[in-house]
Amino acid sequence: MSSMVSPRPGSVRRRFLDRAAGPLSPERASARLSAYIYGTLLALAAVVVVGPAAIENGSAVLVVLGTTATTFLAHVFAEIVAGHSIPEATAHLEEPMRRRLALEELRDAVPIASAGAFPAFFLALGWLDVLNPTWALVLAGAGPILRMALVEIMIQRVRGQRATLRVLLGGIATAVVAAAIVAVKVILTH
């Protein structure tokens, strides 16, 4: 039995906080959460290394989308290689179940692919002169930070548990740590 408080059916809160299909298994929740955090950190790192000139010529959008897409592909490739390298891990499963597991792994990687959408959108607005490049950069960086702040709520969502103020504060702390990790990465590698 889930500890979720049942808001009105169809309410915005219910759609945001509850999974329609119910909670994920612990393995799926862990894999999806890992992809969500990893993809978000790399999208933020890509935003941090671009500047107003890259926004004006459109290359900033390509950097963020390229980082996101190649990270997604690298993750899927690593899962495929690992799965084929250690066949004993799934040898006890029937072929349809192995295929289903492979599709679940692919689905679990989708948060990596989605991580760059928000930043790329604002960078594209800067490129198209809808936003000032500096504002486009600020908003593009705010997206992944906000996404990290919401990670604790996402954890509760995939586990089928109720979000609380403590969870939200934990998300803010997670966002601060994520920003520090990206800052260290940028300082050490650029």
Side-chain angles (χ1 to χ4, degrees):
M1 179 87 185
S2 171
S3 63
M4 298 280 302
V5 172
S6 292
R8 289 186 332 255
S11 74
V12 172
R13 181 180 183 274
R14 186 185 75 69
R15 288 182 186 198
F16 180 70
L17 296 176
D18 300 346
R19 288 189 77 249
L24 292 172
S25 70
E27 297 82 15
R28 299 279 55 92
S30 177
R32 203 157 303 169
L33 179 61
S34 175
Y36 179 96
I37 293 169
Y38 186 62
T40 303
L41 286 174
L42 290 178
L44 181 57
V47 169
V48 170
V49 299
V50 299
I55 294 170
E56 290 171 358
N57 69 27
S59 64
V61 175
L62 296 176
V63 167
V64 171
L65 292 178
T67 299
T68 302
T70 57
T71 301
F72 173 77
L73 292 174
H75 179 81
V76 171
F77 177 72
E79 290 292 335
I80 291 169
V81 170
H84 284 86
S85 298
I86 307 174
E88 307 84 64
T90 58
H92 64 284
L93 301 174
E94 297 290 327
E95 185 57 33
M97 188 60 176
R98 281 198 295 269
R99 260 190 244 115
R100 180 173 169 234
L101 185 61
L103 287 174
E104 285 177 349
E105 293 288 349
L106 183 62
R107 171 59 185 99
D108 291 343
V110 169
I112 295 171
S114 69
F118 188 90
F121 172 75
F122 282 103
L123 294 172
L125 291 179
W127 176 47
L128 297 170
D129 291 326
V130 174
L131 282 176
N132 172 290
T134 302
W135 275 108
L137 191 58
V138 167
L139 292 171
I145 295 291
L146 176 62
R147 190 170 152 124
M148 288 306 299
L150 295 174
V151 74
E152 296 293 331
I153 291 173
M154 185 198 153
I155 292 167
Q156 298 306 314
R157 182 177 184 265
V158 299
R159 296 185 75 199
Q161 296 177 350
R162 187 174 159 260
T164 63
L165 178 59
R166 182 177 173 196
V167 167
L168 183 58
L169 293 175
I172 292 169
T174 301
V176 169
V177 171
I181 290 169
V182 170
V184 169
K185 183 228 184 267
V186 170
I187 290 167
L188 293 177
T189 61
H190 291 89

